[in-house]
Amino acid sequence: MNPLFSQLRRHPLMPWLIVLQIAVACAILCNTLFLLAQQGGPLLTDDGIVRDEVIIVDQLVNGGGNWSAAQARTGADALARIPGVKRASAVVGAPMRQTLTMVYDLKSANDPTLQVSGFIGERLIGTLGLQLSAGRDFFAEEYRDLQLDGDDGSATTPVILTRALARSLFGTANPLGQSLTGGDGSGHYVVVGVVAHLMRYQLAELDDGKAEYAMLLPRRPAGLPMLNFVIRSDAGQREAVLKAVPGVLQATFAGQIASGFEPLVADYEQLRDAGLRSRRAAVWLLLTVNAVVTAITAIGIASLSGYWIQQRTRQIGIRRALGARRGQILRQFLAENLLLTAAGVFTGVLLALLINQWLMHHYELPRLPLVYLPIAALLLVLLGQLAVAAPARRAANLPPASACRSV
């Protein structure tokens, strides 16, 4: 190691420039990779819904008060009679819509409280096309009208969780039959089923692995000023169903829909595209930042290393004349670069943590998980070795006669 450190001490400017560049790149990559994973994770999450068959009806506002459970059922039955419709359900909590939301705090024994999006409506597993991976669907006699002031505290409500939520609440234990309570101790729930996937409709709460914190409850919409419906149609007839829905709503609720409030009728893919558009834009921005930082770092390392190696052409030629093999010359420069990269990565990791603390304080970003530090470090070590490989190979191929030249 002494010859390596000796060279670094004799030519300090170029090594320090390389260390500085790697440190800055490491600090940026650690945080941008974390932000990229946060923004891109929900885009890769399986929402569990049959994409090409589902239609959402939202913002059906009552002009004279609240909708009753009977009116909600009448609307669902009318929509289900449209040619090409397989089934329809009145819901609270329509996928990709946040006009009506139900949020529950759930707590299992000795575990922290989790905030969960609740999907309310009859036969939602079939209407949304969800896959029941364990347990059962709700029985008909388990459905109750929604009570906004809370259900009977002595009653136990059956619920169906997503697999991701069940894993967060119970770990590897079998969730079926497990009991849950509300965060404040009120509300008692028992798990009767598990669906493979279902994305929550609170689009601002999809980060940190919470995209599937959702559950289904056996309740019917009632006592609300707004109605939502989910319709499942044949894929080939969905466009015809979309055109027919507004007329059916007007005929079913003639004179009851508030004037000036046009119900939203859209297919699920359209709503998903609109709801996640900002995340996709953020992902492309972060990918661009990472690509630019990586390219600039690689070019900088190759340029600085090439210039530094060129300044030692005479020394390289003398070593070659004294019998040094090409492999020894190549390994020397790769080892030097590895030392500089390690120093830059160490400095960059500390800088990344400081930047994350600043972002947490000023922009309420979550804490940077430590797993991103070795990922960025490994990326930069590999990048450094690849960037210096070409200049080092040229140096190793110098003929011994170059010792007679001065630089």
Side-chain angles (χ1 to χ4, degrees), residues 93-163:
M96 292 292 154
R97 299 298 296 170
Q98 304 180 81
T99 48
L100 282 177
T101 61
M102 298 293 291
V103 180
Y104 294 83
D105 291 330
L106 290 186
K107 180 176 174 57
S108 60
N110 304 319
D111 280 327
T113 300
L114 301 181
Q115 194 176 78
V116 177
S117 298
F119 286 78
I120 290 174
E122 293 184 284
R123 303 173 300 167
L124 280 183
I125 289 181
T127 306
L128 294 173
L130 306 180
Q131 179 186 354
L132 191 65
S133 61
R136 61 172 178 85
D137 199 351
F138 300 124
F139 297 134
E141 60 270 17
E142 290 176 328
Y143 285 96
R144 302 282 188 274
D145 291 349
L146 178 64
Q147 302 292 329
L148 293 181
D149 54 354
D151 295 326
D152 182 2
S154 63
T156 298
T157 303
V159 295
I160 297 174
L161 310 180
T162 62
R163 192 157 52 201

Side-chain angles (χ1 to χ4, degrees), residues 74 85 121 179 221 239 256 334-335 363:
T74 298
V85 172
S179 296
E239 292 302 319
Q256 301 176 65
L334 291 176
Y363 296 98

Side-chain angles (χ1 to χ4, degrees), residues 8 11-22 304 340 343 347:
L8 298 179
H11 306 275
L13 178 60
M14 290 303 166
W16 278 114
L17 289 175
I18 294 175
V19 169
L20 178 62
Q21 185 174 35
I22 292 174
L304 291 173
L340 297 177
T347 307

